[in-house]
Amino acid sequence: MMTARCNINERFSAYEGISVNIQALLSAKVSQAMVLAGAPADCEPQVRQSAKIQFGDYQANGIMAVAKKLGQAPRQLAETVLQHLDLTGIASKVEIAGPGFINIFLDRNWLAEQAKQAIKLPRLGVAQAEPQTIVVDYSAPNVAKEMHVGHVRSTIIGDAAVRTLEFLGHNVIRANHVGDWGTQFGMLIAFLEKQQNEDHAEMALADLEAFYREAKRTYDEDPVFAERARGYVVKLQGGDDYCRQMWKKLVDITMSQNQKIYDRLNVTLTRKDVMGESLYNDMLPGIVSDLKAKGLAVESEGATVVFLDEFQNKEGEPMGVIIQKKDGGYLYTTTDIACAKYRYETLRADRVLYYIDSRQHQHLQQAWTIVRKAGYVPESVPLEHHAFGMMLGKDGRPFKTRSGGTIKLSDLLDEAYQRAYTLVREKNPEMSEEEVKSLAEVVGISAVKYADLSKSRTTDYIFDWDNMLAFEGNTAPYMQYAYTRVLSVFRKAGIDADSLDAEITLTDDREALLATRLLQFEEVITQVARDGTPHVMCAYLYDLAGLFSGFYEHCPILSADDVTRLSRLQLAALTAKTLQQGLDTLGIKTVERM
Ligand code: ARG
């Protein structure tokens, strides 16, 4: 969580007027009071949203730790802090609880004022972050293979992180680290050539999976073909024109097929974000010789190896990481060393996020340990593995087709559409065919995405059609429906939400709860940006939708007196905007009706 350090006044003023961040404001205020009560300037007030209503809206939990350091009784320190804590106009009540917690109850008039501001401010009152250049490595499918379920999570979660960081004002560089290099390209080029000679290259490449399979079969069965393929690997690596051209054709066709999937998924990747493994080829020889010169890499049984004390092999000895094979070939690790260096040196990254399967954790740690030891990327630039678990079927085993094959992403999305179509048609018998179709596409794709986004990414996750398409619970259809429900209030009132400029008064508890939660959007989004955890945003939006329902059921809008009606409509307008904006940072589309 964001906590205030030094520069209290500077930080405090940054949050007044321009942005709405209750936690940051209270943190600044409490730490100021703590310092006046004798705490060191870098004390952590630990201001958090309270877990229970009886503990107020926010709690400051940092007193105990500081009291311990100062050798004071925590409650006594809390008393002194309270004497210095000036929350006039912000809190209606501040009290000490338990061993020295401070419970803060926000003032409703102040909340109302903040809510009013949030609507008017750009980005719903979310402050522009100090812009960083952030490289996000995600999606990364392999050339001459179709995207399959193994790439879903990286693509979807990575894109949500990208959208979130961009919303906050960062300069985001999308890096699609596609697998476009390796010895298999000799085989693929030779096979493409064979197909071209037989005049069915285009057709064959339309089904990449079959193309790859056939290429492999031919390679295994036909020695003349295999010989030719091996020759092409060498030529390709040597920069031969013909081989380069054929290689490029394979990359182009694969990526234009993938682009269709990205567009359909509402994922922001384009062709210009492709920074495949091949991009780093030219750097590899230099890296190997540099690592040798630095004494980090040594010759071992003909290969070039870096021994790392940080990792141990089965015998308990330092683990050897091969960076160049006996035959001169480089490895996936060598490429990732070069790639990290490039992202820092050339792209000038301040931070690099990698959305990669958790099974590649050790690989990344080894590459980065070498990167740090060689001084290619300073410690001040974080290299973060935002790992995720596997996608499992309902039976808890890796998600496969009935016959045990990998599931193609395009087939998965077609099925999502089909299932959503049935559902939408059932719910809207009167709707035109065209509208049902377009709604089904949005709902189906969103359901697949949201199901993934709403779960903590670190664990494996069970892919279940029925759960993700349910209209109850934390699902895309529920969230999209909740949004249309808010909009319907404006239709009924005959008022345009955007033109509304009414005062907000919070009289009912439910109004105050809704307003407080609405004002926590920045707290949530900064957390998602820091940890790369979109499920935190999903949980927030789901909670928000629930609070809106409670408010809507208990606080009449259309039948209320003028002042109350407009105030409640204003809250509804902020809810609609927040839901829409929140879903947008996740890459989930909203619809007007469903
Ligand atoms: N293409 C790889 C795969 O399909 C993922 C690449 C991830 N990014 C990286 N910098 N290693 O497993």
Side-chain angles (χ1 to χ4, degrees):
M1 282 288 129
M2 193 185 279
T3 40
R5 292 164 185 271
C6 337
N7 278 335
I8 293 159
N9 290 322
E10 204 174 285
R11 282 197 82 140
F12 171 51
S13 60
Y15 288 110
E16 246 176 351
I18 322 163
S19 100
V20 179
N21 187 327
I22 304 175
Q23 189 189 31
L25 173 68
L26 295 178
S27 293
K29 291 276 190 183
V30 175
S31 64
Q32 193 174 28
M34 283 168 77
V35 171
L36 289 172
D42 64 350
C43 64
E44 299 273 0
Q46 294 184 35
V47 172
R48 311 268 182 274
Q49 294 168 17
S50 299
K52 287 186 178 153
I53 293 179
Q54 60 264 40
F55 300 144
D57 299 298
Y58 282 79
Q59 280 180 282
N61 303 337
I63 307 275
M64 279 77 76
V66 174
K68 204 172 165 189
K69 263 196 215 149
L70 298 178
Q72 274 187 29
R75 269 196 86 97
Q76 199 187 335
L77 178 63
E79 298 278 357
T80 323
V81 171
L82 272 205
Q83 282 163 20
H84 293 287
L85 182 61
D86 181 11
L87 292 177
T88 320
I90 298 175
S92 55
K93 185 169 88 175
V94 183
E95 64 184 21
I96 299 170
F101 299 104
I102 295 181
N103 294 343
I104 300 166
F105 298 78
L106 297 168
D107 181 274
R108 287 186 180 184
N109 292 329
W110 182 78
L111 280 172
E113 201 39 58
Q114 300 301 303
K116 186 76 197 301
Q117 263 201 50
I119 297 178
K120 287 192 184 155
L121 287 168
R123 295 190 309 280
L124 296 170
V126 175
Q128 163 103 26
E130 179 138 357
Q132 283 188 312
T133 296
I134 305 178
V135 174
V136 184
D137 181 320
Y138 72 114
S139 194
N142 298 315
V143 166
K145 287 196 177 165
E146 226 155 312
M147 278 181 86
H148 57 81
V149 296
H151 299 112
V152 176
R153 305 202 74 188
S154 174
T155 305
I156 292 174
I157 305 172
D159 202 54
V162 162
R163 287 166 177 271
T164 303
L165 294 166
E166 279 187 341
F167 176 74
L168 287 172
H170 293 294
N171 167 32
V172 178
I173 299 176
R174 297 159 175 78
N176 196 352
H177 194 86
V178 301
D180 63 354
W181 206 250
T183 46
Q184 75 277 22
F185 280 90
M187 168 187 98
L188 295 167
I189 291 170
F191 195 66
L192 178 60
E193 179 182 66
K194 189 169 178 308
Q195 299 281 308
Q196 272 180 351
N197 291 342
E198 289 159 18
D199 225 20
H200 39 241
E202 301 306 318
M203 196 182 69
L205 275 165
D207 186 349
L208 287 172
E209 225 49 45
F211 179 85
Y212 200 97
R213 211 172 37 237
E214 281 304 298
K216 179 88 176 70
R217 200 178 55 82
T218 315
Y219 183 87
D220 291 340
E221 287 172 3
D222 179 349
V224 181
F225 175 86
E227 192 47 43
R228 197 179 187 75
R230 280 192 291 271
Y232 280 164
V233 180
V234 180
K235 280 183 144 185
L236 179 67
Q237 286 170 347
D240 173 79
D241 262 353
Y242 171 74
C243 285
R244 274 270 155 182
Q245 243 177 47
M246 293 291 271
W247 168 83
K248 194 164 178 305
K249 195 161 187 172
L250 290 163
V251 176
D252 282 345
I253 293 174
T254 311
M255 291 319 290
S256 59
Q257 288 193 21
N258 290 341
Q259 192 58 46
K260 285 187 202 140
I261 295 197
Y262 293 147
D263 294 345
R264 196 170 175 195
L265 276 174
N266 189 25
V267 158
T268 58
L269 283 166
T270 66
R271 247 338 267 280
K272 67 174 188 7
D273 304 315
V274 171
M275 285 186 230
E277 292 179 22
S278 64
L279 180 66
Y280 311 101
N281 281 336
D282 295 347
M283 293 173 72
L284 305 181
I287 297 243
V288 172
S289 53
D290 184 54
L291 291 176
K292 277 190 193 160
K294 287 186 168 135
L296 288 165
V298 292
E299 296 285 336
S300 171
E301 294 166 40
T304 309
V305 183
V306 179
F307 287 97
L308 296 173
D309 297 330
E310 292 82 353
F311 300 86
Q312 286 182 353
N313 64 17
K314 288 192 201 88
E315 285 75 44
E317 294 153 355
M319 190 182 275
V321 180
I322 304 177
I323 54 168
Q324 187 168 22
K325 288 189 292 189
K326 219 174 174 162
D327 66 6
Y330 300 100
L331 292 103
Y332 188 48
T333 310
T334 329
T335 304
D336 262 315
I337 295 170
C339 159
K341 187 171 187 281
Y342 178 85
R343 288 171 181 177
Y344 171 67
E345 271 176 15
T346 309
L347 302 178
R348 305 199 165 270
D350 296 309
R351 186 182 172 201
V352 191
L353 315 183
Y354 291 75
Y355 283 87
I356 311 179
D357 186 325
S358 53
R359 288 170 298 182
Q360 293 193 29
H361 189 65
Q362 171 150 314
H363 154 74
L364 288 172
Q365 294 309 321
Q366 290 177 345
W368 297 345
T369 304
I370 298 172
V371 163
R372 299 290 192 202
K373 285 189 163 178
Y376 294 153
V377 182
E379 293 288 346
S380 59
V381 174
L383 301 169
E384 304 171 22
H385 181 197
H386 288 198
F388 49 84
M390 283 203 291
M391 202 152 134
L392 304 177
K394 251 179 150 169
D395 55 1
R397 317 254 303 259
F399 194 38
K400 292 265 165 77
T401 59
R402 223 162 279 219
S403 58
T406 45
I407 298 177
K408 288 185 196 173
L409 194 41
S410 56
D411 292 345
L412 187 85
L413 299 183
D414 287 344
E415 182 165 356
Y417 165 78
Q418 280 307 335
R419 287 177 181 261
Y421 178 91
T422 311
L423 201 71
V424 174
R425 178 42 90 206
E426 218 173 75
K427 296 221 180 241
N428 304 283
E430 312 288 291
M431 204 180 259
S432 76
E433 185 61 13
E434 206 181 330
E435 209 177 330
V436 173
K437 279 184 177 166
S438 80
L439 199 52
E441 179 72 9
V442 174
V443 172
I445 302 289
S446 303
V448 171
K449 292 183 77 172
Y450 195 90
D452 196 339
L453 292 167
S454 58
K455 317 257 179 349
S456 161
R457 64 175 158 75
T458 49
T459 48
D460 290 346
Y461 118 85
I462 296 194
F463 189 94
D464 181 345
W465 288 115
D466 298 326
N467 280 345
M468 70 180 72
L469 283 160
F471 271 81
E472 291 92 44
N474 190 10
T475 65
Y478 171 79
M479 292 307 306
Q480 288 167 324
Y481 180 66
Y483 176 73
T484 62
R485 249 183 56 158
V486 187
L487 292 193
S488 75
V489 176
F490 291 94
R491 269 200 294 275
K492 281 185 204 143
I495 280 184
D496 172 26
D498 291 325
S499 64
L500 206 61
D501 186 18
E503 288 310 312
I504 296 179
T505 38
L506 304 171
T507 42
D508 193 282
D509 281 351
R510 287 174 205 270
E511 291 174 304
L513 276 175
L514 177 62
T516 308
R517 204 78 183 108
L518 284 166
L519 292 168
Q520 289 165 344
F521 186 55
E522 175 173 313
E523 292 170 33
V524 173
I525 202 161
T526 43
Q527 191 188 340
V528 176
R530 186 194 59 198
D531 303 334
T533 47
H535 75 279
V536 172
M537 177 58 73
C538 295
Y540 166 76
L541 296 173
Y542 178 56
D543 194 38
L544 196 59
L547 288 173
F548 180 82
S549 283
F551 155 79
Y552 187 61
E553 274 156 37
H554 292 89
C555 305
I557 300 181
L558 302 180
S559 60
D561 62 81
D562 278 359
V563 174
T564 311
R565 185 176 66 245
L566 287 175
S567 161
R568 289 181 175 166
L569 281 170
Q570 192 69 275
L571 271 183
L574 185 55
T575 307
K577 282 190 181 174
T578 308
L579 286 176
Q580 204 256 324
Q581 186 58 69
L583 289 170
D584 190 59
T585 64
L586 297 167
I588 301 289
K589 287 184 182 165
T590 45
V591 291
E592 304 267 310
R593 282 167 214 264
M594 65 189 281

